[in-house]
């Protein structure tokens, strides 16, 4: 394999690496506090990374104004989305909105695939005698995606090797008590800049071996051609089994949508890879095997519809959340892609590769546009989810008892805070909410104020609900004189979700009876011990644990306690006290 017959752009690659490394270091170590400065920094870093990446990945391209214009357009879109992200993450008075970290995560999860999806179009070799869209629609997406993936993997491998060698050298010099080398390598500016330079060199080197990239891509295509028929047979068998068993099992599980989407993804990748292998008439399989593939193509939209309906059921029941918003978009894309495949293959006007490429490019561009729209103030996951949850509350689909207030505060960022303010206004002012519903919402909002994070709020909600329930306590004997005073001493989480049983016995033989409480009478593992002080105040003193030699299933324990058929036993081995230290016997 020989590299491309051009001079290696060492100095320009070095400059691109230094620029991205310094930008990354300054962004992580010296991020400004002022909002305007943050927005300016975000736009500057975005342009540096996008243009450096475009320069490095177009090493085999005759760069033209169209390449740079496309890169500039992508940089502008991402820069504007970064400005919006900062506005919705940080408050003007300082600090950040609760739940904004989820928005930052979703931004990165959207931006990285978006850049990867648009990279082949930036690499396009635009021709002077053709229109811009004509060149765009002729991009070989599947091959480009795999080539870029291999280039990124190679660059990442080089960075890993650099750090392995640098760490080993620093450790060797550390043995000689020369620690300055290790400190220099770990110095933040050096670490960021060196990693970026090595990564940039890896990209440039990877782009200079097109024959090797074509060979690797061909290997992937051959593997896809081999696994597509088994995948088709498996998915057809699944469809047949599903028609026999029924759809109830699909609806009952909460993971059917991602699993069905994963099945569609495997089939789409295998189909596109097999199409690269060509064959007679541009078809990679003999006639008798194509029928199986065509049946699979007819079933893929059905799987997408099933995934969508399964997700719709949960959205209709619980409302829209960021965790359901992105799968809903993926379902739409999967349905559009699979339906397009069906239509194009029914027409059978061209080879598989041409047919798939005709569908892939418009769908990928539509997916990129959809991803960009999710980075806007109107269609981002938090805004859409907050609007949906609030609309459900107004329409009565969510009641005051089950509306997820913690979702608004802790997971929907600025949009959730705004809807939470509207909910508070509904409770405090005149609204269509009945008075009882408004009172319940007011109580739950008070609990929400005391929570520090989402699951803390869930726990406090559970405890508040438990505390509102009466204690279920059945006495197996005459009980105590002041039952209300005793029930006030029972722990909050005891005897409210299930019936407890209590009886009295003088454990310490002081003439006053203690109370033993069993939380579950059939399976008794311990008995809680309560004792009253001289003022008559009951307190929990400890518990009697079940002996290891005893049976934990005491089905006759109620009758034994009611008949007082028990006896107190002194321990065979007494405890030993040494000063303030107490040693107690525990049987094997």
């Amino acid at each position: 394999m020989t590299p491309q017959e051009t001079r290696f752009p060492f100095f320009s690659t070095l400059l691109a690496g230094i620029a991205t490394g310094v930008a990354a270091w300054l962004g992580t170590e010296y991020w400004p506090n002022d909002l305007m400065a943050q927005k300016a920094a975000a736009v500057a870093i975005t342009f540096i990374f996008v243009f450096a990446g475009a320069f490095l990945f177009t090493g085999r391209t005759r760069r033209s104004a169209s390449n740079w214009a496309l890169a500039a357009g992508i940089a502008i879109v991402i820069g504007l989305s970064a400005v919006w992200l900062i506005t919705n993450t940080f408050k003007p008075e300082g600090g950040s909105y609760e739940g904004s970290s989820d928005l930052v995560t979703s931004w990165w999860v959207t931006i990285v695939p978006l850049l990867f999806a648009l990279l082949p179009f930036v690499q396009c070799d635009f021709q002077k005698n053709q229109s811009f869209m004509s060149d765009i629609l002729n991009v070989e997406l599947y091959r480009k995606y795999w080539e870029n993936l291999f280039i990124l993997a190679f660059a990442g491998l080089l960075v890993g090797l650099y750090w392995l060698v640098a760490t080993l050298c620093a450790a060797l010099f550390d043995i000689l008590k020369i620690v300055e080398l290790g400190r220099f390598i770990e110095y933040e500016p050096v670490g960021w800049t060196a990693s970026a330079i090595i990564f940039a060199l890896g990209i440039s080197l990877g782009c200079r071996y097109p024959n090797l990239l074509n060979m690797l891509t061909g290997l992937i295509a051959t593997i896809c051609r081999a696994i597509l028929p088994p995948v088709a047979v498996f998915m057809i068998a699944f469809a047949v089994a599903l028609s026999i068993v029924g759809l109830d099992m699909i609806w009952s599980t909460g993971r059917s949508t991602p699993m069905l989407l994963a099945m569609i993804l495997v089939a789409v990748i295998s189909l596109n890879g097999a199409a690269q292998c060509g064959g007679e008439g541009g078809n990679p399989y003999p006639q008798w095997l194509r029928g199986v593939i065509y049946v699979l193509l007819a079933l893929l939209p059905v799987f997408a519809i099933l995934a969508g309906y399964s997700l719709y059921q949960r959205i209709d029941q619980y409302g829209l959340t960021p965790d359901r918003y992105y799968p809903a978009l993926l379902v739409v894309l999967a349905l559009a892609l699979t339906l397009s495949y069906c239509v194009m293959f029914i027409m059978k006007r061209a080879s598989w590769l041409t047919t798939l490429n005709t569908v892939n490019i418009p769908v990928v561009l539509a997916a990129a546009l959809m991803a960009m729209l999710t980075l806007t103030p109107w269609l981002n996951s938090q805004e859409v989810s907050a609007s949906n949850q609030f609309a459900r509350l107004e329409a009565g689909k969510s009641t005051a008892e089950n509306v997820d207030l913690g979702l608004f505060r802790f997971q929907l960022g600025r949009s959730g805070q705004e809807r939470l303010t509207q909910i508070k206004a509904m409770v405090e002012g005149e609204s269509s909410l009945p008075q009882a519903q408004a009172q319940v919402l007011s109580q739950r909002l008070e609990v929400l104020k005391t929570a520090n994070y989402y699951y803390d709020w869930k726990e406090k909600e559970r405890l508040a609900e438990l505390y509102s329930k009466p204690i279920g306590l059945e006495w197996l004997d005459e009980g105590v004189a002041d039952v209300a005073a005793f029930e006030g001493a029972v722990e909050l989480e005891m005897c409210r979700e299930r019936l407890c049983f209590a009886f009295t016995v003088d454990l310490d033989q002081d003439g006053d009876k203690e109370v033993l409480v069993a939380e579950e009478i059939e399976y008794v593992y311990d008995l809680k011990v309560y004792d009253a002080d001289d003022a008559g105040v009951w307190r929990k003193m400890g518990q009697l644990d079940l002996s290891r030699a005893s049976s934990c299933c005491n089905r006759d324990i109620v009758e034994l306690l009611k008949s007082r058929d028990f006896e107190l036993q002194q321990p065979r081995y007494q405890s030993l006290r040494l000063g303030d230290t107490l040693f107690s016997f525990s049987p094997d």
Side-chain angles (χ1 to χ4, degrees), residues 14-29:
L14 183 66
L15 180 62
I18 293 174
T20 53
V22 171
W25 167 60
L26 292 176
T28 54
E29 297 297 323

Side-chain angles (χ1 to χ4, degrees), residues 324-339:
R324 301 187 185 105
Y325 177 70
Y326 290 106
L329 297 181
L330 292 177
V331 166
V332 172
L333 290 175
L335 186 59
L337 184 65
T338 53
L339 281 175

Side-chain angles (χ1 to χ4, degrees), residues 200-318:
L201 289 173
I203 293 175
S204 291
L205 286 172
C207 290
R208 289 178 62 81
Y209 290 89
N211 294 335
L212 178 60
L213 293 174
N214 288 334
M215 185 185 69
L216 293 174
T217 305
L219 178 62
I220 293 294
T222 303
I223 294 173
C224 290
R225 182 174 183 266
I227 67 173
L228 180 59
V231 168
V233 171
F234 168 78
M235 296 181 74
I236 293 171
F238 176 77
V240 173
L242 194 61
S243 64
I244 297 173
V245 175
L247 299 176
D248 291 338
M249 298 185 70
I250 288 286
W251 311 144
S252 61
T253 177
R255 58 184 185 276
S256 58
T257 297
M259 293 179 69
L260 288 169
L261 290 175
M263 289 173 59
I264 294 173
L265 178 63
V266 170
V268 168
I269 292 176
S270 303
L271 180 66
N272 280 272
Q276 305 292 319
C277 296
E280 183 180 354
N283 299 318
Y285 298 108
Q287 185 66 39
W288 63 270
L289 193 54
R290 293 177 208 163
V292 178
I293 309 302
Y294 292 147
V295 173
L296 170 64
L297 287 171
L299 288 174
L300 288 180
V302 178
F303 290 138
I305 292 172
L306 290 177
Y309 186 71
S310 176
L311 182 62
Y312 166 77
Q313 284 189 318
R314 276 162 176 74
I315 293 175
D316 184 61
Q317 186 175 2
Y318 302 109

Side-chain angles (χ1 to χ4, degrees), residues 15 32 37 47 74 83 113 119 133 138 142 170 197 204 216 222 257 286 349 358 381 472 485 499 503 547 568:
L15 180 62
F47 269 80
I74 295 172
V83 170
L119 183 56
M133 285 306 301
N138 287 323
Y142 191 84
I197 291 173
S204 291
L216 293 174
T222 303
T257 297
R349 292 183 178 177
T358 304
S381 60
L499 184 65
F503 61 97
S547 172
L568 300 178

Side-chain angles (χ1 to χ4, degrees), residues 560-573:
L560 292 173
L561 292 175
K562 284 183 177 179
S563 62
R564 311 291 290 182
D565 187 9
F566 60 81
E567 61 181 20
L568 300 178
Q569 290 189 353
Q570 293 289 339
R572 179 178 178 182
Y573 301 98

